[in-house]
Amino acid sequence: MTTTTIERPEPGASAPLISVRNLTVSYNVARTGKTLTAIEGVDLDVREGEFVTVLGPSGCGKTTFMNVIAGLVKPTSGEVLVDGRPVTGPGPDRAVVFQDYALLPWRTVFDNVKFGLEMQSRLKGDGWRDRVQEAVELVGLKGFESSYPRELSGGMQQRVGLARAIVAEPRILLMDEPLGAVDALTREVMRDEIEKLIAATGKTVLFITHSIEEAILLGDRIVVFKSHPGAIKEVIETGLERPRSERSVQSEPRFLELRDHLWEALQHEATAAARVAGS
Amino acid sequence: MSAMSAIFASGPNIGRRGLASWLAGLSAGGRAAVLAVEVLLLLVVWQLVVGVWGLVNPVFFPAPLDIARGFGELVASGSLAANAAISLQAWLIGFALAVVVGIPVGLLMGGSLPVDKVVGPIAWTIYATPTIAYQPLSKAWFGFGIGPVIFLVTVSALFPILLNVAAGMRTTSPSLLRAGRVYGASRFELYRKVFLPSTVPFLFAGLRQAVVLATIGMVVAEMTGSSSGMGALIIKAANTYQTDQAFAAIFVVVIWSVSMTQVVSLVERWTAPWTRKARR
Ligand SMILES: Nc1ncnc2c1ncn2[C@@H]1O[C@H](COP(=O)(O)OP(=O)(O)OP(=O)(O)O)[C@@H](O)[C@H]1O
Ligand SMILES: [Mg+2]
């Protein structure tokens, strides 16, 4: 696909909200002077309101892929359109839950959560306080509003990052393993909360995870990445009814079928990646 | 010896590893008491070795009680107050100049690679040169009196501040900058709300070093080219074999230096509470 002719998508429900076309990203590694191709030739369309989960072995370029959509990394070639316009940088229509939390250490939990509103000059009136407080409570951190990040556990910090993204009310939520450091029980609660929130607000979500079950439980579609170079291996419609109750879904034949399929695909990728790394 | 066994007896279960954990578990008051007893013990032993048993010639190394007497003499004659006032003035002016110049230049250096390339090597060279090497130059430029002292205090304090601030700017976490950009921070806001706060702990580390180096710079300048100030007082006393007075003056300088580093730490705890270590 050439990038010289930008097709104008017709206004309507069928036009994708995010459109990734033939995306390649290479990093120049200054130390060795080599270039490293993180992802190559990635195509993906995401509809408005869709929940897309991303699975793939470590180092296959998932974070890179998300950073391009966020406007933090420039494509080496190809392009990303959001709402029909090429992404040239970050914008208030997209918020990111970072894999490494990226909380400001000098701000309390409350002040970290309000960061987006503050930067976007949305601290007018009184309503914002309630919204920030609501987000803090949603992620289960009531009582920790005036703690500093260093006083929290990894999982708690991760949930602050989640609250910060939610309160900014973006159209698109980009979540990079947002529950990776959270314990199994809290994870289940948070997963429910995220699902409810998304259902209520109709946000479009890109959700990176290492958990196959999580990818199936949350996703309308699952994107599976492969490595060396990073690229999309396959895209699967989950086709499961919503709302999904964790327990009942896990015994459905479709869930089991998906799980076995993904397990096999990822195991194949992981051993391939290990072979390349070892050679 | 009986005092020592008395403290140890008060702590439960003192073994090799027990002492450290017992000390760590003490309250702030308890720790101050332990420190006071330690200092007292040291002074008693010192007094015994020099003053009572006469193992060391007191001209080289006066006993604590002699130093105390020397201190009394300096206070009574008014020369301590006079010299301390002059030193204090030079120190404060010199330190303030270093802060006023060091912070903005450090920020510029850390924020801009070209500035860093130009200023960096010069700054490191001046920083690496022993203070005393600037003394002749300083006298040629500023003559006698307080001028060269202020100059050496400034030169000594400037570079730890400047270089630490620059390092703080440069090491600002890229991941925090990404968060800033994602949530819509403008270039100016990135500086004000991400770069600057990241630099604060480095600034205070630099200020603490600067306090110590400024004091050394001050004493060096006053010892070698001035007729007044604490450095001059130390030299004058030593040259007339009043070692007890010289030591008393040295103690005053050391106490100043240590208390100013404490002041810097207090200001840090007050302005940057997030750097406070969680108590274990
Ligand atoms: N800033 C960078 N400079 C150079 N190389 C990079 C940079 N960021 C990522 N890479 C490389 O790009 C590849 C993909 O990295 P990325 O972080 O996107 O992987 P990932 O799929 O998110 O991995 P994980 O699941 O472990 O988070 C890796 O080989 C990594 O070494
Ligand atoms: Mg990643």
Side-chain angles (χ1 to χ4, degrees):
Chain A
M1 187 175 288
T2 58
T3 52
T4 44
T5 56
I6 296 172
E7 298 129 282
R8 287 270 110 207
E10 290 91 70
S14 60
L17 180 59
I18 305 172
S19 182
V20 178
R21 298 179 185 180
N22 199 15
L23 176 68
T24 298
V25 177
S26 308
Y27 290 109
N28 290 313
V29 185
R31 197 170 38 78
T32 57
K34 289 184 186 154
T35 58
L36 185 146
T37 303
I39 50 175
E40 193 170 65
V42 171
D43 288 292
L44 185 72
D45 280 347
V46 180
R47 294 184 306 273
E48 172 123 48
E50 197 176 15
F51 199 125
V52 173
T53 50
V54 179
L55 275 172
S58 182
C60 69
K62 304 181 295 294
T63 299
T64 301
F65 176 64
M66 186 169 274
N67 278 344
V68 178
I69 299 174
L72 291 169
V73 170
K74 294 234 174 323
T76 306
S77 67
E79 64 176 350
V80 174
L81 307 178
V82 168
D83 213 10
R85 279 179 296 274
V87 168
T88 55
D93 53 343
R94 285 153 289 149
V96 180
V97 179
F98 292 92
Q99 186 172 12
D100 58 359
Y101 324 150
L103 303 178
L104 304 175
W106 48 87
R107 284 179 174 242
T108 60
V109 167
F110 189 90
D111 289 348
N112 262 294
V113 174
K114 80 169 192 196
F115 183 67
L117 298 181
E118 184 181 327
M119 292 302 110
Q120 294 160 20
S121 313
R122 287 159 61 192
L123 294 187
K124 296 176 185 102
D126 293 326
W128 68 269
R129 281 183 186 285
D130 295 338
R131 275 186 288 140
V132 171
Q133 185 61 32
E134 222 171 89
V136 169
E137 286 173 22
L138 180 84
V139 298
L141 289 176
K142 189 179 164 70
F144 290 94
E145 292 84 354
S146 50
S147 300
Y148 288 104
R150 63 177 300 155
E151 297 164 345
L152 305 180
S153 74
M156 291 161 88
Q157 293 182 37
Q158 194 158 40
R159 286 181 274 150
V160 177
L162 186 60
R164 174 174 65 181
I166 289 169
V167 94
E169 295 179 318
R171 257 175 106 183
I172 300 168
L173 260 174
L174 303 168
M175 303 205 251
D176 197 349
E177 296 186 39
L179 303 177
V182 175
D183 70 277
L185 274 177
T186 314
R187 204 175 163 123
E188 201 176 313
V189 175
M190 296 305 308
R191 201 145 59 203
D192 272 359
E193 292 294 345
I194 291 175
E195 219 188 337
K196 262 189 260 166
L197 182 92
I198 302 308
T201 55
K203 288 191 195 312
T204 309
V205 182
L206 207 64
F207 187 106
I208 298 174
T209 174
H210 274 298
S211 155
I212 292 176
E213 284 78 13
E214 199 160 272
I216 306 171
L217 277 169
L218 288 173
D220 296 319
R221 273 194 300 164
I222 304 168
V223 174
V224 183
F225 268 73
K226 66 170 202 64
S227 23
H228 304 293
I232 292 180
K233 185 183 162 85
E234 58 180 326
V235 180
I236 309 168
E237 294 273 351
T238 50
L240 290 163
E241 290 290 311
R242 281 191 197 270
R244 299 170 189 169
S245 125
E246 184 130 6
R247 274 165 232 291
S248 61
V249 163
Q250 292 198 349
S251 54
E252 275 184 38
R254 174 64 181 158
F255 178 91
L256 298 172
E257 180 194 348
L258 281 168
R259 196 185 59 184
D260 288 348
H261 176 82
L262 289 168
W263 186 256
E264 210 164 295
L266 284 173
Q267 199 176 33
H268 179 77
E269 272 313 306
T271 47
R275 232 189 341 266
V276 173
S279 67
Chain B
M1 279 302 110
S2 64
M4 184 111 95
S5 50
I7 335 177
F8 282 1
S10 70
N13 201 10
I14 301 298
R16 247 171 226 174
R17 305 182 64 238
L19 179 59
S21 59
W22 173 67
L23 280 171
L26 283 176
S27 66
R31 249 176 304 183
V34 168
L35 187 68
V37 172
E38 258 173 49
V39 170
L40 197 69
L41 265 178
L42 186 74
L43 290 177
V44 167
V45 171
W46 182 356
Q47 182 71 33
L48 285 175
V49 169
V50 184
V52 178
W53 300 330
L55 296 179
V56 178
N57 185 341
V59 173
F60 298 136
F61 205 66
L65 289 178
D66 296 335
I67 295 174
R69 194 170 335 107
F71 182 78
E73 287 162 13
L74 287 179
V75 171
S77 71
S79 66
L80 182 67
N83 287 298
I86 287 170
S87 285
L88 189 67
Q89 197 186 348
W91 196 95
L92 288 176
I93 295 175
F95 198 82
L97 278 174
V99 170
V100 167
V101 176
I103 294 178
V105 176
L107 289 177
L108 270 175
M109 236 175 100
S112 139
L113 208 57
V115 176
D116 190 40
K117 284 253 160 66
V118 174
V119 181
I122 304 173
W124 276 106
T125 308
I126 301 177
Y127 187 37
T129 310
T131 322
I132 199 159
Y134 295 108
Q135 180 62 352
L137 196 69
S138 162
K139 265 197 280 186
W141 286 352
F142 299 99
F144 292 89
I146 202 172
V149 182
I150 295 176
F151 176 73
L152 274 209
V153 169
T154 306
V155 168
S156 307
L158 178 62
F159 295 98
I161 297 173
L162 188 152
L163 292 169
N164 272 289
V165 167
M169 284 286 281
R170 265 197 307 272
T171 54
T172 299
S173 151
S175 124
L176 296 189
L177 293 171
R178 276 197 292 273
R181 287 174 57 206
V182 157
Y183 287 102
S186 63
R187 222 183 141 69
F188 176 70
E189 279 171 326
L190 273 187
Y191 275 100
R192 209 161 77 77
K193 307 216 158 155
V194 182
F195 276 112
L196 280 187
S198 304
T199 306
V200 166
F202 287 79
L203 168 66
F204 281 105
L207 286 176
R208 265 188 296 270
Q209 289 170 22
V211 163
V212 175
L213 291 177
T215 310
I216 295 174
M218 175 189 82
V219 172
V220 164
E222 290 172 342
M223 275 181 163
T224 53
S226 182
S227 56
S228 55
M230 295 306 289
L233 182 62
I234 294 168
I235 283 288
K236 251 184 285 180
N239 285 348
T240 53
Y241 297 103
Q242 289 169 297
T243 338
D244 45 358
Q245 288 189 10
F247 267 76
I250 291 170
F251 267 117
V252 171
V253 171
V254 170
I255 286 169
W256 168 257
S257 188
V258 170
S259 21
M260 286 316 286
T261 57
Q262 293 300 310
V263 168
V264 170
S265 297
L266 267 179
V267 174
E268 176 175 23
R269 232 175 296 162
W270 175 56
T271 54
W274 73 89
T275 60
R276 206 176 307 175
K277 298 206 169 47
R279 272 207 66 181
R280 280 181 297 160

